[in-house]
Amino acid sequence: MGSRSSHVALIPDVDDILRETGFSQASLLRLYHRFQALDREEKGFLSRLDLQQIGALAVNPLGDRIIDSFFPNGSQRVDFAGFARVLAHFRPVDEEDATIRDPKQPEPLNSRMNKLRFAFQLYDLDRDGKISRNEMLQVLRLMVGVQVTDEQLESITDRTVQEADEDGDGAVSFMEFTKSLEKMNIEQKMSIRILK
């Protein structure tokens, strides 16, 4: 790989990134090499187009929304720290993570609550803090494609929103979303084993 080093100390702000993301040095180094491989022009940042080259995102029905999460507030580029921060949501939860956590420290990015916040924002397109019926319909349409009729999809959407919507406002708040997923093992479902 020529000029690309394999030493973790060469990663800009490495100590801050390790502390904030919880990644091991070896995992962070692997992510850094992946970041560099995606940054073919060696700009030091990635664009949406760079991330669209990731095969798993290209075939994921929510791939565009996941890519959007790398670019908060209309940003057009993500540096390595931002890249690692987003991927930290998918780091598996270790049992000792929960038992040794200092309550004065921020909640880890890979905590159940932060994984749920990440998932919620994939649905809440207008960022109003609620998942509307239309937003739910859009996501379900992406996920099921043409496998069900529009009528069936509308029915599934209505039922999903109705079951989660406890306050009757026709939308799903973050707390309602969290409660509707309380029995789901989100820690496992939103984890990528290689990201330790």
Side-chain angles (χ1 to χ4, degrees):
M1 290 199 24
S3 66
R4 305 221 175 185
S5 176
S6 63
H7 196 266
V8 73
L10 297 177
I11 298 173
D13 303 318
V14 67
D15 292 330
D16 292 339
I17 297 169
L18 285 167
R19 185 175 47 257
E20 188 177 351
T21 64
F23 285 124
S24 67
Q25 286 189 1
S27 291
L28 195 64
L29 190 57
R30 281 195 305 273
L31 286 177
Y32 189 64
H33 288 306
R34 181 66 170 143
F35 179 88
Q36 288 180 315
L38 290 167
D39 180 18
R40 292 185 183 130
E41 298 172 20
E42 299 185 22
K43 308 174 296 282
F45 63 87
L46 300 177
S47 67
R48 289 176 193 279
L49 189 59
D50 295 322
L51 292 176
Q52 288 167 346
Q53 305 308 309
I54 301 172
L57 287 177
V59 299
N60 186 318
L62 296 177
D64 284 340
R65 293 188 185 200
I66 293 169
I67 289 171
D68 287 346
S69 68
F70 285 90
F71 303 97
N73 307 320
S75 169
Q76 297 301 309
R77 56 175 68 174
V78 62
D79 62 8
F80 178 68
F83 180 76
R85 215 174 283 120
V86 170
L87 291 176
H89 290 92
F90 298 96
R91 188 173 65 82
V93 177
D94 293 328
E95 292 303 316
E96 67 264 11
D97 282 352
T99 58
I100 61 170
R101 189 171 95 71
D102 180 352
K104 295 179 195 136
Q105 294 298 314
E107 193 170 0
L109 292 173
N110 69 328
S111 71
R112 177 180 179 80
M113 196 55 72
N114 278 327
K115 286 178 185 280
L116 287 166
R117 279 188 193 99
F118 186 89
F120 184 82
Q121 60 94 24
L122 295 177
Y123 290 83
D124 183 19
L125 291 180
D126 61 8
R127 304 285 185 257
D128 68 349
K130 297 228 177 215
I131 301 169
S132 69
R133 180 191 179 281
N134 188 45
E135 289 169 325
M136 181 69 70
L137 181 62
Q138 286 180 44
V139 171
L140 292 176
R141 186 168 282 131
L142 286 172
M143 293 192 323
V144 300
V146 294
Q147 298 171 8
V148 298
T149 67
D150 281 345
E151 189 175 292
Q152 290 169 320
L153 197 55
E154 299 257 349
S155 175
I156 293 167
T157 301
D158 290 340
R159 193 171 45 234
T160 303
V161 170
Q162 187 177 16
E163 286 175 10
D165 179 21
E166 292 184 341
D167 63 9
D169 66 351
V172 180
S173 69
F174 177 69
M175 291 313 295
E176 291 166 338
F177 180 79
T178 300
K179 189 169 183 183
S180 71
L181 295 174
E182 67 188 352
K183 290 184 171 75
M184 181 180 282
N185 185 350
I186 204 82
E187 294 87 346
Q188 181 208 1
K189 297 226 182 265
M190 284 188 64
S191 291
I192 303 172
R193 280 193 205 124
I194 60 165
L195 297 178
K196 285 238 174 196

